[in-house]
Amino acid sequence: MANMAYRAAIAAAALLLLAGCGGGDGETAAPPTPPTTPSSQPPAPAGANFNVLSCLTQEVAPGRPIASLVVPDSLGIDLNVPPGFPNGRQLTDPVIDLTLAVLLLDLKQEPVTRFVDLPLNPPANDVPFRAAFPYLAAAQGNPPIGPVGSNFNFRTDPASAYVRVDRMGMPAVATALISSSTKNKYNDKDPIDDNNFLFYDDIFNTLTGLTNALSDDLSAAGFKMCAVPN
């Protein structure tokens, strides 16, 4: 039943986003009201079982539920607003910390930068970025990595010149929300397949397992979770 509710929430989010893109009457649908979560949560016992539907339906911005960031697995950019994850991605954006925060924390009680603010990450890249494309510093290694794969011309080579190894539209989706047994199938598919409910159950179940496993640690550390105990 939880998975069916998740699918319904995703479908509603998709319809909302389509309506917000503009129509003949110029009206925009009102955003759905996400389920409420307790204002305070006692420490979760080990082995607790949580419902993560409220995490996927909470909004990261007005009219933008978390589910719409995860499905389809793509990262867009609006040139009318300043760039920065999740509006595009800059090299210095702490994308994993931000993504995990919106998937695990109650955004009504926690800032989206909650994990970013923890003094765990290095303050800067160990090697300065380049000033021109591809911007990333040369690969490091001992012995140094050879020139294999460096002869592509991204501006002129056809799509047939590349072989897909991984798809990483929205950071952390393929890494954290797709189960190990499904990763190859997921990487072989396209974002359009995400909208066909192909991986919804896997994402929901994986997020549930991740939440259940981390719930006692998150609660003990004082984080306000978005998931609700069953």
Side-chain angles (χ1 to χ4, degrees):
M1 292 299 293
N3 287 351
M4 293 301 295
Y6 170 44
R7 293 186 179 192
I10 295 289
L15 290 174
L16 170 66
L17 293 175
L18 288 174
C21 290
D25 56 7
E27 296 182 355
T28 301
T33 302
T36 58
T37 54
S39 58
S40 61
Q41 297 171 330
N49 187 19
F50 282 81
N51 187 327
V52 300
L53 182 61
S54 55
C55 298
L56 294 163
T57 55
Q58 68 174 340
E59 295 184 350
V60 68
R64 191 74 189 274
I66 301 303
S68 69
L69 298 180
V70 177
V71 178
D73 184 4
S74 59
L75 185 61
I77 183 169
D78 183 350
L79 299 179
N80 295 314
V81 298
F85 183 76
N87 184 44
R89 174 180 179 178
Q90 301 183 87
L91 288 176
T92 55
D93 287 342
V95 293
I96 299 300
D97 288 340
L98 292 172
T99 302
L100 291 179
V102 301
L103 288 171
L104 296 172
L105 302 182
D106 182 353
L107 298 183
K108 290 183 177 179
Q109 303 185 74
E110 300 278 14
V112 71
T113 57
R114 188 72 158 93
F115 291 155
V116 178
D117 296 335
L118 297 176
L120 300 176
N121 295 322
N125 201 41
D126 58 338
V127 179
F129 295 123
R130 299 176 183 179
F133 186 85
Y135 303 109
L136 296 173
Q140 302 179 64
N142 187 18
I145 299 174
V148 177
S150 62
N151 297 322
F152 294 122
N153 188 323
F154 292 94
R155 297 184 183 276
T156 59
D157 282 358
S160 58
Y162 307 96
V163 176
R164 178 188 295 172
V165 176
D166 211 350
R167 66 175 172 121
M168 286 285 183
M170 185 68 180
V173 174
T175 304
L177 296 183
I178 299 298
S179 62
S180 298
S181 61
T182 310
K183 287 189 188 296
N184 286 341
K185 179 181 179 181
Y186 184 80
N187 289 327
D188 287 339
K189 297 296 183 179
D190 298 305
I192 192 172
D193 297 307
D194 301 341
N195 284 333
N196 293 329
F197 299 97
L198 192 58
F199 301 103
Y200 284 3
D201 290 347
D202 194 64
I203 290 173
F204 188 90
N205 293 334
T206 303
L207 180 57
T208 298
L210 184 65
T211 299
N212 290 342
L214 296 176
S215 60
D216 54 340
D217 293 318
L218 291 172
S219 296
F223 295 115
K224 306 302 182 184
M225 297 170 54
C226 53
V228 179
N230 284 321

